[in-house]
Amino acid sequence: MYVAVKGGERAIDNAHAWLAEERRGDPSVAELTLPQIREQLKLAVNRVMAEGSLYDPDLAALAIKQARGDLIEAIFLIRAYRTTLPRLGASQPVETAAMAVDRRVSATFKDLPGGQVLGPTFDYTHRLLDFKLAAEGEAPLAPQVPARPEPVPHVTSLLDRDGLIEAAPRDDAPPPDLTREPLELPANRPLRLQAITRGDEGFILSLAYSTQRGYGRTHAFVGELRIGRVLVEMEIPELGFSIEIGEVELTECETVNQFKGSKTEPPQFTRGYGLTFGQTERKAIAMSLVDRALRWQELGEDFTGAPAQDEEFVLSHCDNIQATGFLEHIKLPHYVDFQSELELVRRLRAEAMQMQEAAE
Amino acid sequence: MTERPEDLARKGWMSLLAKAPPARLAALLPDLPETALLRPAEVGSVMVRGRVGGTGAPFNLGEMTVTRCSLRLDCGAVGHAYVQGRDKDHARRAAVVDALMQTPEAARVEAQVLHPLRLEEEARRTTRAVKAAATKVEFFTMVRGEDQ
């Protein structure tokens, strides 16, 4: 129950003023600029764009600064801003096969067209703190070697050629949009992917991990992980043709999973799919595992009761803004609710004591 | 949809302008001619779509910010722009360039604005590609003892 309560304005104003001072921290330390956040805390910016569901690195940097580095609070700010923007249209589906890749690795094939490109990865680092970063130094430079322009086809397209993996046939049905209509279950795969790509990284990671530990196991291999830039093209109504309206960095992960075959399908591999804004590789891998686990019904697998197989459970709890909104609201005044609970407990206690006395 | 050759050329420069760094475009075209605004610069969002499995059914990935603008030059040429981000000056400049490209000024604008932007976009792309190429794995097979 919510009741309007007056009072506390001065305390609230002063709390916000103190928040602003705390945000700034020690004024003898230089203030963070938005370009510094955008350029040097890029993976935080990427996470805010992915879960805020809005690709704009400058806005994400501003949100991170305003939220004092609390990424869920920053994501909240981005989601709130997003609702103020008029929707100008929807892009054509991006062509991830034509991605300009910074990174592209496959855990299933060593030699593949386009090669294994490690990119700017934390993999193979020793995870030892680098105290050199505590001191200011010269900007490091990456080695360069001449690049041969060559196609980098999807690994799954190689398996698809031999019929060894389920096909993902082209389809142009307009997808449902959970920012326009409330989420309804059962959801189709496009709607599930939209919910998961903006879902909380920690939640999706834990669910994916649970499938690896046996709660809805799908025996996933990373067929391919790629990170890079794709062009975004949109039909312009006043022109009657499409133009590129920008370029976005994406992470795409495709898993190759065990499949025994069924009455209608010969034995072949199945697929899980992850696609996320920015360089957000942990999220994209986790997304592809959860996507695959949720497909149990379509693929004729058993429901083992695993959380990652339960669409209602996954889709209703993956959004960290919904979750934090409901969780954190319980700290706000509930005086009237609590008052009624208090009276109820007092009455029950009085009744219980009376009965006890009567029994004695 | 089949595209006419003149549409293809226009698609090329509008696409280039959409992705151009706003400050660079402003430096290349500092002075703007008189224009009548048909649709003042407006910031909005576009829903970016992907495909399931990279090739299958489309799904909504998330939005990106886009600014659009439409205007008319004194000579009557109409320019449109849809540019990435929230910079209204960027959208106005891009629309002016689109309009100028339909006038006898086209050759000058191509040389002064579009040509440098195209080279710089290509350079940005190459800079990343050569760094990526340096991280490509060259596998070699170890010779095992029993094979010797």
Side-chain angles (χ1 to χ4, degrees):
Chain A
M1 182 180 178
Y2 302 89
V3 175
V5 179
K6 281 182 79 77
E9 288 91 341
R10 187 188 49 81
I12 290 170
D13 287 347
N14 292 348
H16 291 169
W18 195 15
L19 167 67
E21 187 186 302
E22 286 285 305
R23 176 188 292 121
R24 176 60 182 87
D26 181 350
S28 71
V29 177
E31 186 175 353
L32 259 182
T33 66
L34 299 190
Q36 283 172 342
I37 297 172
R38 189 190 62 220
E39 297 301 314
Q40 297 173 39
L41 296 178
K42 204 171 219 166
L43 301 191
V45 166
N46 286 344
R47 182 169 175 191
V48 170
M49 295 196 300
E51 295 171 35
S53 200
L54 184 67
Y55 195 98
D56 188 318
D58 294 307
L59 275 182
L62 172 62
I64 290 168
K65 180 172 179 174
Q66 187 177 334
R68 308 176 65 194
D70 177 340
L71 297 189
I72 291 185
E73 180 71 17
I75 291 160
F76 199 163
L77 294 169
I78 291 297
R79 290 275 188 93
Y81 176 83
R82 189 204 69 78
T83 61
T84 66
L85 293 175
R87 176 78 63 84
L88 305 183
S91 82
Q92 295 174 356
V94 292
E95 292 288 346
T96 53
M99 180 184 281
V101 295
D102 285 353
R103 171 164 168 79
R104 188 277 197 120
V105 292
S106 169
T108 53
F109 294 103
K110 181 165 68 70
D111 300 303
L112 69 174
Q116 307 257 2
V117 178
L118 299 181
T121 179
F122 291 129
D123 293 353
Y124 314 110
T125 62
H126 297 296
R127 266 73 182 216
L128 298 173
L129 280 174
D130 180 0
F131 289 96
K132 288 200 296 293
L133 291 172
E136 284 174 36
E138 280 177 34
L141 285 177
Q144 306 187 348
V145 307
R148 281 194 313 268
E150 59 182 331
V152 186
H154 280 125
V155 164
T156 44
S157 71
L158 307 175
L159 282 167
D160 193 18
R161 228 165 33 199
D162 302 327
L164 291 173
I165 195 161
E166 60 164 327
R170 195 189 164 102
D171 172 346
D172 285 312
D177 184 354
L178 61 79
T179 68
R180 290 304 168 92
E181 307 102 31
L183 182 70
E184 275 190 35
L185 301 172
N188 62 10
R189 200 170 168 204
L191 190 60
R192 292 199 300 249
L193 290 178
Q194 182 183 14
I196 300 170
T197 192
R198 71 213 293 268
D200 183 73
E201 179 177 311
F203 181 78
I204 303 298
L205 167 66
S206 292
L207 280 176
Y209 179 46
S210 74
T211 70
Q212 293 183 295
R213 291 193 64 255
Y215 293 84
R217 190 185 293 283
T218 60
H219 306 273
F221 293 97
V222 170
E224 182 171 353
L225 177 71
R226 54 171 70 193
I227 302 175
R229 284 161 179 71
V230 298
L231 297 166
V232 182
E233 210 168 310
M234 184 173 75
E235 188 98 359
I236 305 298
E238 49 269 54
L239 298 177
F241 56 87
S242 70
I243 65 163
E244 289 158 16
I245 53 168
E247 192 178 48
V248 293
E249 185 185 38
L250 299 179
T251 303
E252 182 183 48
C253 177
E254 194 139 35
T255 58
V256 175
N257 303 66
Q258 198 181 59
F259 183 52
K260 294 187 190 74
S262 67
K263 287 191 198 92
T264 52
E265 299 286 338
Q268 59 178 183
F269 292 109
T270 56
R271 312 154 68 140
Y273 189 66
L275 186 67
T276 48
F277 277 155
Q279 182 180 344
T280 40
E281 143 174 345
R282 184 184 304 117
K283 172 73 173 289
I285 299 170
M287 177 176 173
S288 61
L289 264 64
V290 174
D291 169 52
R292 177 59 185 80
L294 287 170
R295 298 183 61 211
W296 63 272
Q297 204 159 20
E298 173 196 349
L299 296 170
E301 294 169 340
D302 291 331
F303 178 68
T304 61
Q309 291 181 311
D310 185 336
E311 176 180 272
E312 198 273 334
F313 181 82
V314 174
L315 300 188
S316 305
H317 301 110
C318 67
D319 192 286
N320 53 25
I321 300 311
Q322 281 174 8
T324 204
F326 200 68
L327 180 97
E328 293 199 46
H329 100 280
I330 64 172
K331 73 192 172 186
L332 300 174
H334 282 67
Y335 306 137
V336 176
D337 294 84
F338 189 67
Q339 200 63 41
S340 67
E341 301 254 323
L342 203 59
E343 270 164 32
L344 183 64
V345 172
R346 282 194 178 122
R347 202 173 65 230
L348 291 172
R349 275 174 65 89
E351 282 168 15
M353 281 180 206
Q354 265 174 7
M355 279 168 65
Q356 212 169 15
E357 279 166 22
E360 284 165 6
Chain B
M1 184 175 44
T2 52
E3 282 159 340
R4 299 175 301 165
E6 61 268 34
D7 288 348
L8 217 56
R10 193 171 182 194
K11 173 178 175 155
W13 72 64
M14 289 184 75
S15 300
L16 182 65
L17 291 162
K19 295 169 287 169
R24 184 63 185 141
L25 179 58
L28 290 169
L29 189 76
D31 304 314
L32 295 184
E34 280 293 306
T35 57
L37 285 176
L38 303 176
R39 179 162 59 203
E42 175 191 23
V43 179
S45 77
V46 164
M47 178 55 89
V48 180
R49 288 183 174 156
R51 285 188 184 279
V52 177
T55 52
F59 71 97
N60 291 308
L61 176 62
E63 287 160 285
M64 62 183 274
T65 50
V66 170
T67 304
R68 67 178 173 188
C69 181
S70 298
L71 45 73
R72 189 174 51 231
L73 302 180
D74 284 347
C75 68
V78 171
H80 297 291
Y82 280 75
V83 302
Q84 183 166 16
R86 289 164 295 114
D87 191 321
K88 291 182 177 179
D89 273 341
H90 181 192
R92 272 192 290 270
R93 264 201 178 76
V96 166
V97 173
D98 179 48
L100 288 172
M101 285 301 291
Q102 301 163 57
T103 68
E105 297 265 352
R108 181 184 65 81
V109 172
E110 165 62 37
Q112 181 191 321
V113 180
L114 297 176
H115 184 66
L117 287 179
R118 209 173 285 119
L119 292 182
E120 286 159 20
E121 184 181 284
E122 189 53 40
R124 279 196 298 276
R125 190 164 284 268
T126 306
T127 304
R128 293 200 79 85
V130 294
K131 289 177 197 167
T135 69
K136 189 179 276 193
V137 180
E138 308 290 348
F139 285 106
F140 56 90
T141 308
M142 307 285 280
V143 178
R144 295 192 308 179
E146 64 263 34
D147 295 337
Q148 284 176 347

